[in-house]
Amino acid sequence: MSHTTSIVKYYEDLADNYDNRFDNQRLEYMRSVENRVLLNSLKPGLILDIGCGTGEQTLFLAQKDYQVIGVDISGEMIRIAKDRVNNAGLNDKVSLILASAEALPFKDNCVDGLISIFGVYSHVPNINIAIQEIYRVLHNGSLAVITVVNRWNLTWWVKTILNAKGRWLLHALTNKEYTLNGLWTYYFSKSELSNMLKNNGFKVSIGCLLLLLYPHNNRKLYFYEKFFMRFEDKVRWLFPFNSLGYYHLAVFEKK
Ligand SMILES: C[S@@+](CC[C@H](N)C(=O)[O-])C[C@H]1O[C@@H](n2cnc3c(N)ncnc32)[C@H](O)[C@@H]1O
């Protein structure tokens, strides 16, 4: 099975449980940061949401009066997003399309912004082609905001070292990709992501997301995690913290 086929299957199987599974206070914080950055970065107009999933950001932006086209490779995720859009009465603001980030079915220079949140481009095998597609569809001077999984994320490394998981540590030191339950994931270092975007013509800023918080921890927040959030808000775009989050938050402009 190719990476793409197994990624589609993974999300088709997960779709009905997706919104319950990714629901904890650390992710709520992550969503609040992402939403703030989206509103600060995006010009009014037409926005593409690549890997829109069940419509989290599509709905958020439509409620803020953007015109949004959600794109996803999974028909099941699109089906759920459509139900949510209908229920919210936002049909006039949103279109949803089954397509891949590697071949966007849009004309050149046709959108005012592009977003892709929660690691979508970490699951795109032909990443260079997908980045060229972002460049092609954006207007000059427009911004894209994406998050991808970081190879050097502090919380994973600390947790794995403390648990003495030698085999995983060795794998992560010698590989940039990993497949779990059929979900192929590529892990970017900050410099790799930054160079790839710059080489494709973008002006790039990269910040960290979930610096000291572990996204898969579903327990209630420990009191000190609120301080972690405040600290992260202060250092998000500063070296070396901007290299160490669980996710990279990249904001880049078509020059
Ligand atoms: C982790 S979910 C993110 C969904 C949403 N953006 C969010 O924040 O909840 C990743 C989504 O990317 C989609 N996806 C994966 N590869 C894709 C590709 N090549 N093109 C478009 N969508 C893709 C998956 O089907 C899934 O819905």
Side-chain angles (χ1 to χ4, degrees):
M1 214 190 273
S2 72
H3 287 322
T4 304
T5 312
S6 59
I7 289 163
V8 173
K9 182 174 178 340
Y10 179 90
Y11 281 105
E12 299 282 282
D13 292 347
L14 179 62
D16 280 326
N17 285 326
Y18 180 86
D19 288 326
N20 296 330
R21 172 152 165 211
F22 295 110
D23 183 18
N24 71 54
Q25 289 173 292
R26 292 151 197 91
L27 292 177
E28 260 172 44
Y29 165 74
M30 180 186 85
R31 302 290 199 195
S32 73
V33 174
E34 291 161 350
N35 288 347
R36 211 161 54 225
V37 171
L38 294 180
L39 292 184
N40 284 338
S41 309
L42 297 172
K43 293 190 278 195
L46 176 63
I47 309 297
L48 279 189
D49 180 3
I50 308 297
C52 63
T54 59
E56 182 74 25
Q57 295 79 26
T58 298
L59 282 153
F60 171 73
L61 291 177
Q63 278 154 355
K64 299 288 176 193
D65 227 25
Y66 288 91
Q67 203 66 42
V68 190
I69 303 179
V71 173
D72 204 283
I73 206 171
S74 155
E76 280 299 295
M77 296 295 262
I78 291 274
R79 176 183 62 76
I80 293 170
K82 273 193 178 146
D83 285 348
R84 289 182 72 194
V85 169
N86 277 335
N87 293 340
L90 288 166
N91 290 299
D92 56 331
K93 294 256 157 226
V94 175
S95 312
L96 293 159
I97 292 179
L98 184 65
S100 171
E102 294 167 356
L104 297 176
F106 307 106
K107 293 186 187 149
D108 298 356
N109 310 310
C110 72
V111 293
D112 303 296
L114 181 147
I115 69 162
S116 182
I117 301 296
F118 213 9
V120 178
Y121 282 89
S122 301
H123 307 305
V124 175
N126 293 315
I127 185 67
N128 247 307
I129 289 179
I131 299 297
Q132 286 163 21
E133 282 290 84
I134 299 181
Y135 192 89
R136 184 180 67 74
V137 298
L138 278 175
H139 283 139
N140 284 346
S142 294
L143 288 172
V145 181
I146 69 169
T147 69
V148 294
V149 191
N150 182 6
R151 183 163 186 219
W152 302 115
N153 65 81
L154 197 58
T155 49
W156 184 89
W157 283 92
V158 169
K159 206 168 169 301
T160 310
I161 289 168
L162 290 178
N163 289 331
K165 302 267 187 186
R167 197 168 57 85
W168 289 10
L169 289 167
L170 187 63
H171 180 91
L173 282 171
T174 51
N175 290 276
K176 295 179 178 176
E177 51 187 280
Y178 187 66
T179 303
L180 183 64
N181 301 329
L183 184 66
W184 175 83
T185 305
Y186 187 87
Y187 294 80
F188 293 90
S189 69
K190 176 171 169 276
S191 58
E192 184 180 11
L193 177 64
S194 173
N195 289 337
M196 186 179 64
L197 294 171
K198 283 179 184 161
N199 291 341
N200 279 291
F202 292 103
K203 187 176 155 202
V204 184
S205 309
I206 296 185
C208 65
L209 202 48
L210 302 188
L211 177 61
L212 300 169
L213 300 163
Y214 192 71
H216 307 298
N217 183 354
N218 286 326
R219 297 171 66 140
K220 275 192 79 176
L221 275 193
Y222 297 110
F223 76 94
Y224 53 80
E225 289 181 289
K226 296 215 163 136
F227 295 102
F228 288 173
M229 291 173 184
R230 278 191 221 149
F231 177 72
E232 175 176 333
D233 286 339
K234 299 232 177 307
V235 301
R236 187 170 322 287
W237 306 96
L238 303 179
F239 180 83
F241 308 105
N242 62 351
S243 307
L244 299 173
Y246 200 94
Y247 293 98
H248 295 297
L249 171 60
V251 180
F252 47 103
E253 179 183 347
K254 177 172 175 178
K255 286 192 288 183

